Amino acid sequence: MAAGGNHHGLASVRHEPPRTFKHRRGRITAGQRAALDALWPRYGLDPGPGPIDPATVFGRHAPVVVEIGFGMGEATLTLAAADPERDVIAIDVHTPGAGALLRDLDAAGLTNVRVMVADAQWVLRELLSPGSLQEIRVFFPDPWPKGRHHKRRLFSAPFVALAASRLRPGGRLHSATDWADYATQMLRLVEAEPLLHNSFGGPAPRPAWRPVTRFEQQGLDKGHEIVDVIAERISVG
């Protein structure tokens, strides 16, 4: 997504079909808009002409986590505050959520998070170098529950291969969902990817450190089982 002179890079979101997300730009509050206007230069991350250099972005050399689909940012904020030695690039297409996260990052005084409003697959493919990430988190992606829409789900063989290629050896791809068939799909895909190893041999135990997100609570309220899938990047050669 080229900034193209656009104010904090929010005018367009690049993607390639099939689209794996819904445009969610409505219902932005005055406070969220004010946060975007005032805080984007500090916490926002606009694509430049070349790959992202995390050391330049964050001003230090630290392990890098990419979080795909942060919603309103509650979990992002909690995890970043609990783990200040790692830097987080949080990506979503939800402009109100970006405004809320910027506001909360500023209130908490955190410096280890940068926010992008973009198609995460494009960011991984075009802006992040192979082997550059310690972790990729995908918590409760859109399940696209109707069968005819399953092709729009983020998790596919090409996405898993792309994510694996961006992880360094020993890095982790960590996803969670409350949709049983999506969990089965995630497990099948990570187990079929040659660069990944599911050391749990199935669903992972729910990590105590992962906060309960709003989407997770909605699933629990409906009686859905929560499934975490954690796979590790293996060394090759």
Side-chain angles (χ1 to χ4, degrees), residues 66-229:
V66 163
E67 182 172 344
I68 297 175
F70 56 78
M72 297 304 290
E74 302 99 324
T76 305
L77 188 77
T78 299
L79 293 174
D83 193 5
E85 299 307 311
R86 296 204 293 176
D87 292 328
V88 179
I89 299 174
I91 310 171
D92 206 314
V93 294
H94 187 212
T95 306
L101 180 54
L102 294 177
R103 178 196 60 208
D104 293 342
L105 289 170
D106 184 57
L110 296 183
T111 60
N112 62 327
V113 179
R114 296 294 183 273
V115 179
M116 297 190 75
V117 177
D119 176 355
Q121 294 194 77
W122 180 79
V123 173
L124 287 176
R125 185 176 63 249
E126 301 294 338
L127 301 182
L128 292 167
S129 301
S132 62
L133 305 177
Q134 186 187 54
E135 186 172 3
I136 298 173
R137 298 173 182 154
V138 190
F139 296 155
F140 302 94
D142 193 327
W144 292 100
K146 295 181 180 179
R148 68 179 183 274
H149 292 156
H150 283 186
K151 65 182 179 180
R152 299 185 180 181
R153 287 176 168 176
L154 176 65
F155 269 74
S156 64
F159 168 74
V160 172
L162 174 62
S165 74
R166 268 45 186 171
L167 293 169
R168 70 189 194 189
R172 301 196 314 175
L173 173 61
H174 183 178
S175 59
T177 184
D178 66 313
W179 287 82
D181 68 315
Y182 204 0
T184 299
Q185 180 179 349
M186 290 175 176
L187 285 165
R188 183 178 70 251
L189 289 167
V190 300
E191 289 167 0
E193 169 52 49
L195 293 178
L196 295 175
H197 172 65
N198 182 354
S199 57
F200 294 96
R206 189 196 190 285
W209 54 261
R210 183 170 65 71
V212 177
T213 69
R214 180 165 55 95
F215 292 105
E216 179 173 5
Q217 190 58 57
Q218 289 173 355
L220 290 170
D221 292 344
K222 295 174 183 176
H224 294 182
E225 179 183 1
I226 308 301
V227 177
D228 283 74
V229 179

Side-chain angles (χ1 to χ4, degrees), residues 52-70:
I52 293 169
D53 177 12
T56 299
V57 170
F58 292 98
R60 65 175 182 173
H61 292 277
V64 179
V65 176
V66 163
E67 182 172 344
I68 297 175
F70 56 78

